Amino acid sequence: MVVRDISFGMVILGLHCTLVSLPGFYCFVCKYFNLKLNEFLSTSKILIVQKDYRRIFKIYQELARVLTFIDDFLCYSAFVFVLCGMVGLFWSICSFILFFDFDYLIYFCSFVVSMHYLMMMQMIILPASDINLGAQMARDVIISLPGWFPQQHDELKIRIRRGLNKKIGLTLWKIYKIDKSLFISAIGTLITYGVLVGTLGSIHSSQKN
């Protein structure tokens, strides 16, 4: 019995560490790259004054290449963790409604689980949405370069159309581009349907009794 309890506890601990460490890694990568985007936005203003548009292009191309690699490498993991977070949050809300009258420990566990999955979703969606916002601002800088350098207007337009005009950003499995509205709408939808399903389940259980 003791061995089984210890094994079960180790499995839960390992699962918890996995579900926290991987979103934590994703969050760290996003925060670091967001610093690079902010650095580019600051540097581009100085380079525009210095009329060094070639260096602006070079830095942006490198950032775009790295961001594309990050999305290719982590987009599926982000999708899985956001999906797991949504399912877990929905389940915990239903459990809270269904077993509210049973024991305060169940209420407490449901609350802790809800916060865990909410944190996991937050660690994925919010940093990624900041990166997408920064990437859009960086792209706007590139698009505006022909206006800053009218003498090279045609040359800059051609360079932008050849490959720099493409929108870049972090996605969920290349399906959905991450933004902050996803976090708000997902929480609202999950809470609404979780309360609805939990209430219907509790009514059904009371009718049986």
Side-chain angles (χ1 to χ4, degrees), residues 47-70:
L47 294 177
I48 288 175
V49 174
Q50 297 176 353
K51 300 185 182 301
D52 191 0
Y53 64 88
R54 290 184 177 85
R55 189 177 175 190
I56 297 177
F57 275 122
K58 183 178 179 181
I59 297 174
Y60 180 79
Q61 285 176 330
E62 183 66 20
L63 290 175
R65 185 184 65 82
V66 174
L67 183 56
T68 302
F69 173 78
I70 293 174

mmCIF file of all heavy atoms in Angstrom, residues 47-70:
data_model
loop_
_atom_site.group_PDB
_atom_site.id
_atom_site.type_symbol
_atom_site.label_atom_id
_atom_site.label_comp_id
_atom_site.label_asym_id
_atom_site.label_seq_id
_atom_site.Cartn_x
_atom_site.Cartn_y
_atom_site.Cartn_z
ATOM 1 N N LEU A 47 19.284 53.858 -36.542
ATOM 2 C CA LEU A 47 19.800 53.545 -37.874
ATOM 3 C C LEU A 47 19.085 54.341 -38.960
ATOM 4 O O LEU A 47 19.686 54.655 -39.998
ATOM 5 C CB LEU A 47 19.649 52.044 -38.142
ATOM 6 C CG LEU A 47 20.498 51.126 -37.251
ATOM 7 C CD1 LEU A 47 20.211 49.665 -37.557
ATOM 8 C CD2 LEU A 47 21.983 51.423 -37.434
ATOM 9 N N ILE A 48 17.821 54.666 -38.731
ATOM 10 C CA ILE A 48 17.112 55.509 -39.701
ATOM 11 C C ILE A 48 17.731 56.903 -39.738
ATOM 12 O O ILE A 48 17.920 57.493 -40.810
ATOM 13 C CB ILE A 48 15.611 55.572 -39.351
ATOM 14 C CG1 ILE A 48 14.935 54.237 -39.675
ATOM 15 C CG2 ILE A 48 14.923 56.696 -40.123
ATOM 16 C CD1 ILE A 48 13.484 54.163 -39.251
ATOM 17 N N VAL A 49 18.074 57.417 -38.574
ATOM 18 C CA VAL A 49 18.738 58.727 -38.518
ATOM 19 C C VAL A 49 20.098 58.660 -39.209
ATOM 20 O O VAL A 49 20.507 59.600 -39.913
ATOM 21 C CB VAL A 49 18.888 59.185 -37.050
ATOM 22 C CG1 VAL A 49 19.701 60.477 -36.972
ATOM 23 C CG2 VAL A 49 17.519 59.381 -36.416
ATOM 24 N N GLN A 50 20.783 57.523 -39.045
ATOM 25 C CA GLN A 50 22.090 57.343 -39.680
ATOM 26 C C GLN A 50 21.985 56.924 -41.148
ATOM 27 O O GLN A 50 23.012 56.751 -41.807
ATOM 28 C CB GLN A 50 22.889 56.284 -38.911
ATOM 29 C CG GLN A 50 23.211 56.678 -37.477
ATOM 30 C CD GLN A 50 23.907 55.574 -36.711
ATOM 31 O OE1 GLN A 50 24.042 54.442 -37.194
ATOM 32 N NE2 GLN A 50 24.372 55.890 -35.499
ATOM 33 N N LYS A 51 20.744 56.726 -41.626
ATOM 34 C CA LYS A 51 20.477 56.328 -43.016
ATOM 35 C C LYS A 51 21.129 54.988 -43.367
ATOM 36 O O LYS A 51 21.604 54.776 -44.487
ATOM 37 C CB LYS A 51 20.938 57.418 -43.993
ATOM 38 C CG LYS A 51 20.245 58.755 -43.797
ATOM 39 C CD LYS A 51 20.629 59.753 -44.849
ATOM 40 C CE LYS A 51 19.948 61.100 -44.607
ATOM 41 N NZ LYS A 51 18.480 61.009 -44.593
ATOM 42 N N ASP A 52 21.145 54.098 -42.403
ATOM 43 C CA ASP A 52 21.737 52.766 -42.606
ATOM 44 C C ASP A 52 20.608 51.737 -42.710
ATOM 45 O O ASP A 52 20.397 50.913 -41.817
ATOM 46 C CB ASP A 52 22.677 52.437 -41.440
ATOM 47 C CG ASP A 52 23.520 51.196 -41.712
ATOM 48 O OD1 ASP A 52 23.366 50.591 -42.799
ATOM 49 O OD2 ASP A 52 24.324 50.825 -40.833
ATOM 50 N N TYR A 53 19.883 51.778 -43.814
ATOM 51 C CA TYR A 53 18.745 50.871 -43.974
ATOM 52 C C TYR A 53 19.191 49.433 -44.232
ATOM 53 O O TYR A 53 18.449 48.487 -43.945
ATOM 54 C CB TYR A 53 17.835 51.353 -45.106
ATOM 55 C CG TYR A 53 18.460 51.349 -46.479
ATOM 56 C CD1 TYR A 53 18.418 50.216 -47.279
ATOM 57 C CD2 TYR A 53 19.090 52.486 -46.972
ATOM 58 C CE1 TYR A 53 18.992 50.205 -48.541
ATOM 59 C CE2 TYR A 53 19.663 52.486 -48.230
ATOM 60 C CZ TYR A 53 19.612 51.348 -49.012
ATOM 61 O OH TYR A 53 20.183 51.342 -50.257
ATOM 62 N N ARG A 54 20.390 49.254 -44.760
ATOM 63 C CA ARG A 54 20.868 47.887 -45.020
ATOM 64 C C ARG A 54 21.024 47.102 -43.714
ATOM 65 O O ARG A 54 20.703 45.912 -43.656
ATOM 66 C CB ARG A 54 22.195 47.933 -45.776
ATOM 67 C CG ARG A 54 22.072 48.428 -47.208
ATOM 68 C CD ARG A 54 23.394 48.369 -47.933
ATOM 69 N NE ARG A 54 23.258 48.767 -49.330
ATOM 70 C CZ ARG A 54 23.293 50.021 -49.750
ATOM 71 N NH1 ARG A 54 23.483 51.008 -48.864
ATOM 72 N NH2 ARG A 54 23.149 50.309 -51.032
ATOM 73 N N ARG A 55 21.506 47.759 -42.689
ATOM 74 C CA ARG A 55 21.660 47.077 -41.401
ATOM 75 C C ARG A 55 20.297 46.764 -40.787
ATOM 76 O O ARG A 55 20.121 45.737 -40.132
ATOM 77 C CB ARG A 55 22.481 47.942 -40.450
ATOM 78 C CG ARG A 55 22.868 47.217 -39.171
ATOM 79 C CD ARG A 55 23.746 48.076 -38.292
ATOM 80 N NE ARG A 55 24.010 47.429 -37.016
ATOM 81 C CZ ARG A 55 24.581 48.027 -35.984
ATOM 82 N NH1 ARG A 55 24.967 49.302 -36.093
ATOM 83 N NH2 ARG A 55 24.782 47.385 -34.867
ATOM 84 N N ILE A 56 19.331 47.641 -41.010
ATOM 85 C CA ILE A 56 17.971 47.373 -40.521
ATOM 86 C C ILE A 56 17.428 46.115 -41.178
ATOM 87 O O ILE A 56 16.850 45.246 -40.512
ATOM 88 C CB ILE A 56 17.053 48.580 -40.800
ATOM 89 C CG1 ILE A 56 17.535 49.806 -40.028
ATOM 90 C CG2 ILE A 56 15.610 48.253 -40.425
ATOM 91 C CD1 ILE A 56 16.735 51.065 -40.308
ATOM 92 N N PHE A 57 17.613 46.009 -42.482
ATOM 93 C CA PHE A 57 17.171 44.813 -43.197
ATOM 94 C C PHE A 57 17.871 43.563 -42.665
ATOM 95 O O PHE A 57 17.238 42.519 -42.468
ATOM 96 C CB PHE A 57 17.451 44.960 -44.697
ATOM 97 C CG PHE A 57 16.374 45.682 -45.445
ATOM 98 C CD1 PHE A 57 16.660 46.831 -46.153
ATOM 99 C CD2 PHE A 57 15.073 45.207 -45.448
ATOM 100 C CE1 PHE A 57 15.668 47.498 -46.849
ATOM 101 C CE2 PHE A 57 14.073 45.863 -46.143
ATOM 102 C CZ PHE A 57 14.371 47.018 -46.844
ATOM 103 N N LYS A 58 19.157 43.674 -42.438
ATOM 104 C CA LYS A 58 19.934 42.514 -41.987
ATOM 105 C C LYS A 58 19.461 42.028 -40.620
ATOM 106 O O LYS A 58 19.274 40.819 -40.404
ATOM 107 C CB LYS A 58 21.418 42.880 -41.942
ATOM 108 C CG LYS A 58 22.322 41.727 -41.546
ATOM 109 C CD LYS A 58 23.789 42.147 -41.556
ATOM 110 C CE LYS A 58 24.681 40.987 -41.141
ATOM 111 N NZ LYS A 58 26.126 41.379 -41.130
ATOM 112 N N ILE A 59 19.255 42.968 -39.698
ATOM 113 C CA ILE A 59 18.807 42.585 -38.352
ATOM 114 C C ILE A 59 17.411 41.978 -38.409
ATOM 115 O O ILE A 59 17.125 40.958 -37.758
ATOM 116 C CB ILE A 59 18.829 43.810 -37.410
ATOM 117 C CG1 ILE A 59 20.254 44.335 -37.249
ATOM 118 C CG2 ILE A 59 18.253 43.443 -36.047
ATOM 119 C CD1 ILE A 59 20.341 45.625 -36.450
ATOM 120 N N TYR A 60 16.539 42.583 -39.204
ATOM 121 C CA TYR A 60 15.166 42.074 -39.288
ATOM 122 C C TYR A 60 15.127 40.680 -39.914
ATOM 123 O O TYR A 60 14.360 39.817 -39.466
ATOM 124 C CB TYR A 60 14.299 43.035 -40.093
ATOM 125 C CG TYR A 60 12.860 42.569 -40.214
ATOM 126 C CD1 TYR A 60 11.963 42.749 -39.166
ATOM 127 C CD2 TYR A 60 12.409 41.933 -41.367
ATOM 128 C CE1 TYR A 60 10.653 42.316 -39.265
ATOM 129 C CE2 TYR A 60 11.105 41.498 -41.474
ATOM 130 C CZ TYR A 60 10.232 41.691 -40.421
ATOM 131 O OH TYR A 60 8.934 41.248 -40.524
ATOM 132 N N GLN A 61 15.930 40.462 -40.933
ATOM 133 C CA GLN A 61 15.972 39.144 -41.559
ATOM 134 C C GLN A 61 16.427 38.077 -40.569
ATOM 135 O O GLN A 61 15.893 36.961 -40.556
ATOM 136 C CB GLN A 61 16.903 39.175 -42.774
ATOM 137 C CG GLN A 61 16.315 39.881 -43.978
ATOM 138 C CD GLN A 61 17.307 39.973 -45.127
ATOM 139 O OE1 GLN A 61 18.525 40.035 -44.922
ATOM 140 N NE2 GLN A 61 16.796 39.998 -46.349
ATOM 141 N N GLU A 62 17.399 38.413 -39.739
ATOM 142 C CA GLU A 62 17.873 37.460 -38.734
ATOM 143 C C GLU A 62 16.791 37.185 -37.693
ATOM 144 O O GLU A 62 16.566 36.032 -37.303
ATOM 145 C CB GLU A 62 19.130 38.010 -38.057
ATOM 146 C CG GLU A 62 19.762 37.072 -37.046
ATOM 147 C CD GLU A 62 20.324 35.805 -37.665
ATOM 148 O OE1 GLU A 62 20.578 35.805 -38.893
ATOM 149 O OE2 GLU A 62 20.498 34.816 -36.933
ATOM 150 N N LEU A 63 16.114 38.235 -37.244
ATOM 151 C CA LEU A 63 15.033 38.050 -36.280
ATOM 152 C C LEU A 63 13.896 37.220 -36.876
ATOM 153 O O LEU A 63 13.332 36.349 -36.200
ATOM 154 C CB LEU A 63 14.500 39.413 -35.821
ATOM 155 C CG LEU A 63 15.418 40.244 -34.925
ATOM 156 C CD1 LEU A 63 14.800 41.613 -34.666
ATOM 157 C CD2 LEU A 63 15.679 39.532 -33.602
ATOM 158 N N ALA A 64 13.564 37.485 -38.126
ATOM 159 C CA ALA A 64 12.492 36.732 -38.780
ATOM 160 C C ALA A 64 12.865 35.263 -38.924
ATOM 161 O O ALA A 64 12.022 34.372 -38.737
ATOM 162 C CB ALA A 64 12.189 37.342 -40.146
ATOM 163 N N ARG A 65 14.120 35.007 -39.238
ATOM 164 C CA ARG A 65 14.571 33.621 -39.380
ATOM 165 C C ARG A 65 14.494 32.884 -38.041
ATOM 166 O O ARG A 65 14.022 31.744 -37.976
ATOM 167 C CB ARG A 65 16.007 33.596 -39.909
ATOM 168 C CG ARG A 65 16.539 32.199 -40.203
ATOM 169 C CD ARG A 65 17.990 32.258 -40.638
ATOM 170 N NE ARG A 65 18.852 32.731 -39.564
ATOM 171 C CZ ARG A 65 19.315 31.951 -38.586
ATOM 172 N NH1 ARG A 65 18.986 30.667 -38.541
ATOM 173 N NH2 ARG A 65 20.100 32.454 -37.657
ATOM 174 N N VAL A 66 14.931 33.538 -36.970
ATOM 175 C CA VAL A 66 14.894 32.907 -35.647
ATOM 176 C C VAL A 66 13.458 32.693 -35.186
ATOM 177 O O VAL A 66 13.118 31.630 -34.643
ATOM 178 C CB VAL A 66 15.670 33.768 -34.628
ATOM 179 C CG1 VAL A 66 15.504 33.206 -33.221
ATOM 180 C CG2 VAL A 66 17.145 33.824 -34.996
ATOM 181 N N LEU A 67 12.596 33.678 -35.409
ATOM 182 C CA LEU A 67 11.204 33.546 -34.980
ATOM 183 C C LEU A 67 10.493 32.435 -35.751
ATOM 184 O O LEU A 67 9.691 31.686 -35.176
ATOM 185 C CB LEU A 67 10.473 34.874 -35.166
ATOM 186 C CG LEU A 67 9.016 34.916 -34.686
ATOM 187 C CD1 LEU A 67 8.919 34.525 -33.215
ATOM 188 C CD2 LEU A 67 8.418 36.297 -34.906
ATOM 189 N N THR A 68 10.789 32.314 -37.023
ATOM 190 C CA THR A 68 10.209 31.223 -37.813
ATOM 191 C C THR A 68 10.670 29.868 -37.289
ATOM 192 O O THR A 68 9.880 28.915 -37.204
ATOM 193 C CB THR A 68 10.601 31.373 -39.289
ATOM 194 O OG1 THR A 68 10.144 32.643 -39.774
ATOM 195 C CG2 THR A 68 9.979 30.270 -40.131
ATOM 196 N N PHE A 69 11.943 29.779 -36.915
ATOM 197 C CA PHE A 69 12.462 28.531 -36.349
ATOM 198 C C PHE A 69 11.783 28.210 -35.018
ATOM 199 O O PHE A 69 11.425 27.052 -34.754
ATOM 200 C CB PHE A 69 13.974 28.639 -36.155
ATOM 201 C CG PHE A 69 14.573 27.474 -35.415
ATOM 202 C CD1 PHE A 69 14.796 26.266 -36.060
ATOM 203 C CD2 PHE A 69 14.897 27.582 -34.070
ATOM 204 C CE1 PHE A 69 15.334 25.185 -35.379
ATOM 205 C CE2 PHE A 69 15.437 26.512 -33.379
ATOM 206 C CZ PHE A 69 15.655 25.305 -34.040
ATOM 207 N N ILE A 70 11.600 29.217 -34.167
ATOM 208 C CA ILE A 70 10.938 28.999 -32.878
ATOM 209 C C ILE A 70 9.522 28.486 -33.083
ATOM 210 O O ILE A 70 9.077 27.545 -32.410
ATOM 211 C CB ILE A 70 10.934 30.304 -32.055
ATOM 212 C CG1 ILE A 70 12.354 30.682 -31.635
ATOM 213 C CG2 ILE A 70 10.053 30.160 -30.814
ATOM 214 C CD1 ILE A 70 12.448 32.031 -30.949
#
